[in-house]
Amino acid sequence: MSIGMAVTPTNVRPSKRQRTSDASSIGGLQCQVCHRSYERADHLNRHLDSHRNERSFRCEECPAAFNRRDLLLRH
């Protein structure tokens, strides 16, 4: 590679907005609250928990709380 050449990564993921599709175009499932669409029912159900605003998973080191265990663990 020569100096000054731009390197374009091949594994760049589209933004979340680009990944979400209109449910009618993919035959998917759509959230009735915010209209995001999902191809899998388990993903829609997991998303619906975010609208309940319950934060059962609390960090022991700071005031942060999450509605999913995996989000707490990632924190």
Side-chain angles (χ1 to χ4, degrees), residues 15-17 19-23 28-38 44 47 50-51:
S15 72
K16 287 183 181 180
R17 283 269 182 228
R19 283 185 277 154
T20 12
S21 303
D22 178 19
L29 306 164
Q30 191 171 37
C31 173
Q32 297 301 306
V33 178
C34 69
H35 307 293
R36 286 194 65 171
S37 59
Y38 297 89
L44 173 61
H47 166 75
S50 69
H51 291 299

Side-chain angles (χ1 to χ4, degrees), residues 11-60:
N11 62 346
V12 175
R13 291 174 53 178
S15 72
K16 287 183 181 180
R17 283 269 182 228
Q18 290 172 326
R19 283 185 277 154
T20 12
S21 303
D22 178 19
S24 60
S25 67
I26 60 170
L29 306 164
Q30 191 171 37
C31 173
Q32 297 301 306
V33 178
C34 69
H35 307 293
R36 286 194 65 171
S37 59
Y38 297 89
E39 293 182 22
R40 295 175 44 175
D42 59 317
H43 290 177
L44 173 61
N45 289 329
R46 183 178 65 191
H47 166 75
L48 288 172
D49 287 339
S50 69
H51 291 299
R52 291 188 189 96
N53 208 20
E54 294 175 11
R55 305 288 184 237
S56 303
F57 300 95
R58 302 197 180 281
C59 178
E60 295 179 357

